[in-house]
Amino acid sequence: MMPAHVDTLILGGGTAGCALAGLIAERSSDSILLLEAGPDYGPLRDGRWPRELLDARRLPVSHDWGYDSGPFLPGRRVAYERARVIAGCSAHNGCSAVWGTQWDYDGWADSGNPGWSAGEVQPLLQAIDRRLKVRRYADSEIPPYQRAVFEAARAAGFAASADMNDLTEDEAVAYCPVNNQRGIRWNTAFAYLDAARGRRGLTIQGGALIVRLLIERGRVAGAEAIIDGVATIVRARRTILTAGAYGSPAILLRSGIGDPDALEPLGIPVEHALPGVGRNLQDHPAIAVAFPGSPALEEISAAFERGNWTPEELVIVKARSRHAAESFDIHLFSEGGRVADGSDAWRWQIYAAGLLPRSRGEVRLASRDPAASPLIDHRHLSDAGGADLAVLADGVEIVGRIAAQPSLKSLLGAPIAAPIGGGRRELEAWIRSQVVHYWHPVGTCAMGADPKAGAVVDARGRLHGLADGYVADASIMPRIPRANTNIPTVLVAERIASWLT
Ligand SMILES: Cc1cc2nc3c(=O)[nH]c(=O)nc-3n(C[C@H](O)[C@H](O)[C@H](O)COP(=O)(O)OP(=O)(O)OC[C@H]3O[C@@H](n4cnc5c(N)ncnc54)[C@H](O)[C@@H]3O)c2cc1C
């Protein structure tokens, strides 16, 4: 039976939501209700999880919300993948387990968020690695293409990383640490929720579409959700929003919490003016450089594939652009393997991603309908000085340098579309027409001290100006870290759980 009143109501059973629910269940006697729009497949041991969500080789799209760039990229549509299932994006991501740099967390702390400095979060990052069973691949697990990319990066001047997650490490090339176990994607439901599932007082409800928060006399009193087609109210002592960088601002806006100028045209009564909701959207802009593989590469890859489990993504190069300041500001990451379309075709790519974007986008509502997709306008490469574009162009040039090294040159042909080696202007025009993202949206309910300056929550995840309401997912990161965002998102859950329990 789903309770109608709980101590802690958690809205969104994704990466952060599962971690938070598990931690609060372990550390308190709270009654907890975790609501998630997608299905809950139960504990791993019950065997109900679909195979493609477990298989960490490829990125599945079977449980996707179906968001995309809508009208914002003339002439093309870019998918903004987000998982709709218990464990959220940790159930369909690439399992790269990356921490970032000390400057990321010190930067959060220095921008008015005590408790988030690198020194303070490092023990939590270590605890997360243990929970997520983060590991390094054994030498025998490295596929030939990934090995060739690694060796080419070394030949191009990048040192082999001593520890990819050393927060002080600068430029380097690494086989990325990963959170998969015997090929199973170790999502946050397995890492945090499974052990807590049997506890009294913890209820997990899948198939629950959250409509809005309930605001009563200056406090968040619970939420309304649609469950089995029925509008249902749940009341709570405290309510924590963990619906992700697109979902959390959308729920706040539907609740009348946001910029009044954005709410009124949609006919949403303003409950609480908070202009930062949905703003400050950031992701790492990224560009894929594709290469044709030689018959020799396909042959050795097919031979390797027959005897091994072959991950598609593996090598990450941390590189500096000409705009880099205290540390690296580019990731290059290699992707290689069979295209997941049922054909036997191979795909060989190296992506460049800018890690410190200056551009800022926005999430808005298209309508009050909770089933409607939000409008997601990333505005990649829109910064006035053009630095984001220049960083990506530098990244593509480094990809070209790496691909020209003997270990790769013997296996790959010339880039299929990227005009590497031509003029910078041509390269930048190509990047503008092809730019995508690194699947890392953050920042749309940013934490900070001053709501007038755009902060939505304070350093402890508490909504500014409303009691008993919290946000605790990727949306509260004030600035995107120089890292893939899964571990930093779990860090948000761990940090806030440490203050709530
Ligand atoms: C394809 C892909 C690959 C990635 N690869 C990596 C990687 O290799 N390494 C890495 O570090 N990061 C990776 N990431 C990013 C990382 O997974 C995310 O940053 C992180 O999972 C975000 O967690 P979250 O809790 O903020 O949001 P989510 O995990 O998205 O959780 C939000 C949850 O809320 C639910 N929800 C939303 N709205 C509602 C609603 N109205 N009602 C009910 N429920 C709702 C969603 O269904 C979801 O379960 C990847 C992401 C994607 C999409």
Side-chain angles (χ1 to χ4, degrees), residues 11-17 35-38 59 65 67 81-90 92-98 208-211 242-245 247 251 254 313 370 438-441 473-475 484-489:
L11 303 174
T15 305
L35 295 181
E36 163 58 37
L59 303 180
W65 281 83
Y67 299 152
E81 295 88 347
R82 292 287 98 184
R84 184 175 176 140
V85 62
I86 203 79
C89 291
S90 76
H92 77 174
N93 72 14
C95 295
S96 303
V98 179
L209 182 68
I210 296 139
V211 178
T242 49
I251 292 169
R254 279 202 298 274
E313 273 178 61
Y438 199 177
W439 302 287
H440 299 153
D473 56 28
S475 71
N484 313 56
T485 45
N486 197 57
I487 298 259
T489 302

Side-chain angles (χ1 to χ4, degrees), residues 71 121 157 176 218 231 243 248 277 338 362 403 413 423 428 481 493:
V121 301
C176 188
S248 287
V277 174
R338 292 197 192 268
E362 189 173 354
E428 291 188 351

Side-chain angles (χ1 to χ4, degrees), residues 167-342:
L167 292 172
T168 64
E169 191 179 71
D170 200 339
E171 290 188 296
V173 54
Y175 292 120
C176 188
V178 287
N179 55 304
N180 67 49
Q181 282 296 308
R182 292 184 297 277
I184 293 179
R185 182 179 281 108
W186 208 253
N187 66 47
T188 58
F190 303 156
Y192 285 88
L193 209 50
D194 276 8
R197 278 181 184 270
R199 281 174 206 242
R200 262 169 67 97
L202 172 64
T203 309
I204 302 163
Q205 177 70 54
L209 182 68
I210 296 139
V211 178
R212 64 182 177 105
L213 305 182
L214 219 58
I215 314 295
E216 290 175 356
R217 291 181 293 282
R219 71 176 287 268
V220 180
E224 178 188 341
I226 299 172
I227 303 170
D228 293 331
V230 178
T232 309
I233 298 285
V234 183
R235 292 181 177 276
R237 183 165 59 81
R238 63 183 174 200
T239 302
I240 309 172
L241 196 48
T242 49
Y246 303 140
S248 287
I251 292 169
L252 288 176
L253 292 169
R254 279 202 298 274
S255 312
I257 302 167
D259 184 343
D261 289 343
L263 298 173
E264 278 154 9
L266 294 166
I268 300 173
V270 179
E271 291 284 353
H272 179 59
L274 210 44
V277 174
R279 306 238 163 91
N280 191 45
L281 173 63
Q282 300 160 62
D283 195 339
H284 300 127
I287 184 95
V289 182
F291 299 88
S294 66
L297 177 58
E298 293 183 5
E299 204 171 293
I300 52 175
S301 300
F304 184 87
E305 190 187 46
R306 278 194 288 279
N308 296 281
W309 184 87
T310 53
E312 191 176 42
E313 273 178 61
L314 227 186
V315 175
I316 289 186
V317 180
K318 301 189 280 190
R320 280 174 168 264
S321 76
R322 68 192 66 182
H323 287 277
E326 70 275 344
S327 182
F328 64 92
D329 61 348
I330 292 174
H331 264 186
L332 310 179
F333 60 100
S334 58
E335 186 184 64
R338 292 197 192 268
V339 183
D341 63 359

